[in-house]
Amino acid sequence: MIEPPYLLFLGDAPDMLAAKVAVGIRDWRPESAVGQLRLPDCNADLGLKDMSLSEAREKGARTLVIGVANRGGVISQAWKTVLVEALEMGFDLASGLHNLLRHEDDLVAAAQTHGCSLHDVRVAAAAYPIANGKKRTGKRCLAVGTDCSVGKMYTAMAMEREMRGRGMKATFRATGQTGILITGHGVPLDAVIADFMAGSIEYLTPDNDPDHWDLIEGQGSLFHVSYSGVTMALIHGGRPDALILCHEPTRSHMRGLPHYVPPGLAELRDTALPLAQVANPACVATGVSVNTQHMSDDEAKAYISSVEDELNLPATDPYRFGAGKLADSLAAM
């Protein structure tokens, strides 16, 4: 078990998107975050108190969480001094990077010497089956995006909060390191062997009550050439009844791919829906989630209205304006 409270380590994150793990914990588990620790060249800022390791320890922090999701998921050598010092001071370490803490000899040695734990979130915890595509009881909703890091996790979590507040049966199903760190459980999909990825999502979303909704955290994008494989596994393994289309309208290029322009929402709908209907012919697109964090209120509301007119689907920024419209669309099914 990863022991809270956490000190969120931002390292040398170049921007806020690179610190999305820490951002997610701040937004959804603020009671677990005592502060942030940044290296001198870090360009991310959570708005939390900057703390040294000793200051955080005095405030009761138990675990230093690596809150960075860099390209390739690598533990930077530039972080090592801080990570080793944290272990020497009695902190546990937690990470969702591909580069595992348990494979770093210096971290393992320091953890053993000082009686600390190394928590690698991005490790498959079960023997997942190969997908069979069979219909399961209960209902499932999947967030799909025009790009990576457009708000698919926030969409599903905001919907869960709204639906539970109404007394609806709903469960957020985490498929990435941030969601797993927030909720304490899930499937680290991009760490699963390819043949078993779709099966791991069947495992994550088993038979349930007829009126229960699994809200599946999306990953990657069908249009992102680096990460489209995980999206396909979610679409077929999740066998969703509903798709929520997710978009961040201010981007000029795909995340990490400056030579690719993001698609529009209509293109996302027309690409994702037929693929979802391969596994579940009854699947429909039920709503649109717009990440408006870089827009003013007036700009955001005008854009959302234009999306509703274009696609004839309810649209909102579920984190900024609430997930009511998206919950309404599922309640009507």
Side-chain angles (χ1 to χ4, degrees):
M1 179 179 177
I2 301 174
E3 294 286 345
Y6 307 147
L7 175 62
L8 302 179
F9 179 64
L10 307 188
D12 48 6
D15 54 32
M16 288 295 284
L17 270 181
K20 69 177 187 177
V21 175
V23 172
I25 294 171
R26 177 203 66 186
D27 288 347
W28 294 99
R29 292 292 183 271
E31 70 281 0
S32 295
V34 301
Q36 63 184 17
L37 194 162
R38 300 184 291 165
L39 296 180
D41 52 353
C42 180
N43 291 321
D45 186 353
L46 303 177
L48 300 177
K49 181 177 175 58
D50 285 296
M51 292 185 175
S52 66
L53 289 170
S54 58
E55 289 171 333
R57 198 69 174 152
E58 290 176 3
K59 292 293 185 181
R62 304 284 299 276
T63 303
L64 181 70
V65 174
I66 297 177
V68 185
N70 55 23
R71 189 170 174 84
V74 177
I75 297 173
S76 169
Q77 288 301 312
W79 306 344
K80 282 296 188 67
T81 299
V82 172
L83 300 183
V84 171
E85 184 181 354
L87 292 165
E88 291 173 346
M89 293 180 63
F91 283 89
D92 293 340
L93 298 185
S95 169
L97 298 171
H98 285 298
N99 185 187
L100 302 182
L101 297 170
R102 67 188 68 179
H103 292 166
E104 299 295 308
D105 292 342
D106 49 354
L107 300 182
V108 171
Q112 291 175 343
T113 298
H114 299 282
C116 301
S117 298
L118 302 177
H119 299 283
D120 288 304
V121 174
R122 226 175 196 152
V123 174
Y128 301 121
I130 293 176
N132 59 37
K134 293 180 180 179
K135 179 177 175 57
R136 305 187 293 285
T137 57
K139 300 177 181 179
R140 287 153 195 87
C141 175
L142 172 66
V144 293
T146 53
D147 193 6
C148 300
S149 305
V150 293
K152 298 181 293 291
M153 184 193 79
Y154 274 56
T155 297
M157 293 198 73
M159 291 177 69
E160 180 196 49
R161 182 166 60 188
E162 173 69 22
M163 293 167 73
R164 286 189 172 185
R166 298 182 181 194
M168 297 174 67
K169 298 176 183 177
T171 303
F172 169 75
R173 301 296 189 183
T175 62
Q177 73 271 31
T178 306
I180 294 171
L181 281 166
I182 291 169
T183 64
H185 51 79
V187 167
L189 182 58
D190 57 9
V192 176
I193 294 172
D195 276 358
F196 303 96
M197 287 197 299
S200 74
I201 304 306
E202 291 186 347
Y203 172 93
L204 182 68
T205 60
D207 287 324
N208 217 313
D209 294 340
D211 57 346
H212 178 276
W213 280 96
D214 275 333
L215 304 169
I216 306 171
E217 178 188 5
Q219 296 292 335
S221 170
L222 291 171
F223 299 89
H224 199 294
V225 296
S226 304
Y227 308 119
S228 55
V230 292
T231 313
M232 275 301 308
L234 285 159
I235 288 173
H236 285 165
R239 204 178 183 277
D241 300 279
L243 296 180
I244 301 294
L245 312 177
C246 302
H247 185 52
E248 204 279 73
T250 68
R251 292 194 187 171
S252 59
H253 62 79
M254 303 285 281
R255 179 70 174 164
L257 299 175
H259 46 300
Y260 279 83
V261 177
L265 281 162
E267 188 175 357
L268 172 62
R269 176 199 61 199
D270 295 343
T271 302
L273 192 54
L275 291 171
Q277 289 171 342
V278 170
N280 180 3
C283 183
V284 293
T286 59
V288 180
S289 173
V290 183
N291 181 342
T292 65
Q293 64 177 316
H294 300 302
M295 295 177 163
S296 69
D297 274 359
D298 288 344
E299 290 171 334
K301 290 173 182 176
Y303 185 83
I304 288 169
S305 179
S306 71
V307 166
E308 290 184 326
D309 290 341
E310 177 190 0
L311 299 182
N312 194 31
L313 289 171
T316 186
D317 181 328
Y319 188 73
R320 187 175 189 174
F321 300 128
K325 290 181 180 180
L326 305 181
D328 288 342
S329 68
L330 298 191
M333 294 182 66

